[in-house]
Amino acid sequence: MGAQKVLIFGSISCGDWSFLQPYTTWPELVVAADGGMACAKAAGFIPTIYVGDSDSGGKAEAGMECIPLPAEKDWTDLQAAYELAVSRGAKDIIFTGCTGGRQDHHLSAVQLLETAARQGVRARILDPWNCIEFLLPGPHCVWKQDYTYFSLIPVDQLLEHVTIRGAKYPLLDRTTRRGDSLTVSNEWVEDPATVSFTGGCCYLIHSVNPR
């Protein structure tokens, strides 16, 4: 079966890692992508595997599995960590330490969520204020957890026949499009709220206001 729950650290540091406290015992495998070594340790996690080229200051420690990568390659350290996790049996992945900083790497990390979804792997990006997922067409439960808002961000030109129930701003069989903010910043009146759509894909973002 391998390690089905995997926590992957990227190299973007964070002043307060307390948002990961609910996941202290969650991962079966912790992977550090290059500079994610320092992030993992700051968050109180001990990586099992190091993956990277060390250009972000990361390096494996004694007793840790090390997957060295060349500095010049066709993929990011984070994608390499994702591919490793999937090869070890991952079915549920949390990425963290990969938002903010350089926006090319930020957007590349967000797009990894689509790769995962299309491979049948649940994947999320967590930071202190957001949880980001990629949704394929169908029905979905949206649990509140400790968040204040949820938004659907269309990826395709059209997000078709969108229905949102249990929310402050419900929708019934509406079509929205990429670049439109119709489905941004909703709130819960029931937990979970439910969303469904029949065509197109979107990002589901849970969020709170930065403090």
Side-chain angles (χ1 to χ4, degrees):
M1 293 287 289
Q4 297 204 356
K5 297 178 180 179
V6 180
L7 177 60
I8 298 176
F9 280 88
S11 61
I12 304 300
S13 61
C14 176
D16 182 2
W17 291 98
S18 62
F19 66 94
L20 288 179
Q21 286 180 354
Y23 301 95
T24 300
T25 61
W26 179 85
E28 298 167 345
L29 184 68
V30 178
V31 180
D34 200 350
M37 273 293 302
C39 294
K41 292 169 69 176
F45 291 84
I46 300 174
T48 314
I49 304 175
Y50 167 84
V51 179
D53 57 15
S54 297
D55 69 350
S56 297
K59 63 179 182 178
E61 297 184 351
M64 184 180 300
E65 183 178 353
C66 177
I67 311 294
L69 300 176
E72 296 182 358
K73 53 189 181 297
D74 295 331
W75 55 88
T76 63
D77 294 332
L78 194 72
Q79 182 175 352
Y82 166 77
E83 300 290 352
L84 172 72
V86 171
S87 74
R88 301 289 176 94
K91 295 298 182 185
D92 193 352
I93 296 175
I94 291 175
F95 296 98
T96 192
C98 56
T99 53
R102 281 178 52 180
Q103 291 304 294
D104 52 351
H105 282 274
H106 180 158
L107 292 174
S108 177
V110 170
Q111 289 185 332
L112 270 178
L113 300 177
E114 178 176 359
T115 300
R118 295 192 184 280
Q119 293 179 343
V121 176
R122 185 188 184 197
R124 293 159 282 169
I125 291 176
L126 297 184
D127 66 24
W129 310 286
N130 306 282
C131 173
I132 309 172
E133 299 183 66
F134 183 90
L135 300 185
L136 297 167
H140 303 273
C141 290
V142 182
W143 297 91
K144 188 176 189 302
Q145 303 172 76
D146 293 323
Y147 295 98
T148 306
Y149 309 103
F150 71 92
S151 300
L152 304 178
I153 308 298
V155 172
D156 294 297
Q157 183 175 0
L158 296 177
L159 191 65
E160 299 176 304
H161 304 289
V162 181
T163 294
I164 301 176
R165 294 189 170 94
K168 183 176 180 179
Y169 306 109
L171 285 180
L172 181 62
D173 198 27
R174 290 281 299 275
T175 292
T176 186
R177 64 184 62 247
R178 186 174 58 234
D180 190 3
S181 58
L182 174 66
T183 52
V184 171
S185 200
N186 215 328
E187 299 177 44
W188 286 264
V189 295
E190 297 177 9
D191 191 15
T194 60
V195 303
S196 65
F197 50 95
T198 62
C201 297
C202 68
Y203 292 107
L204 167 65
I205 303 178
H206 294 65
S207 59
V208 296
N209 289 317
R211 296 177 178 83

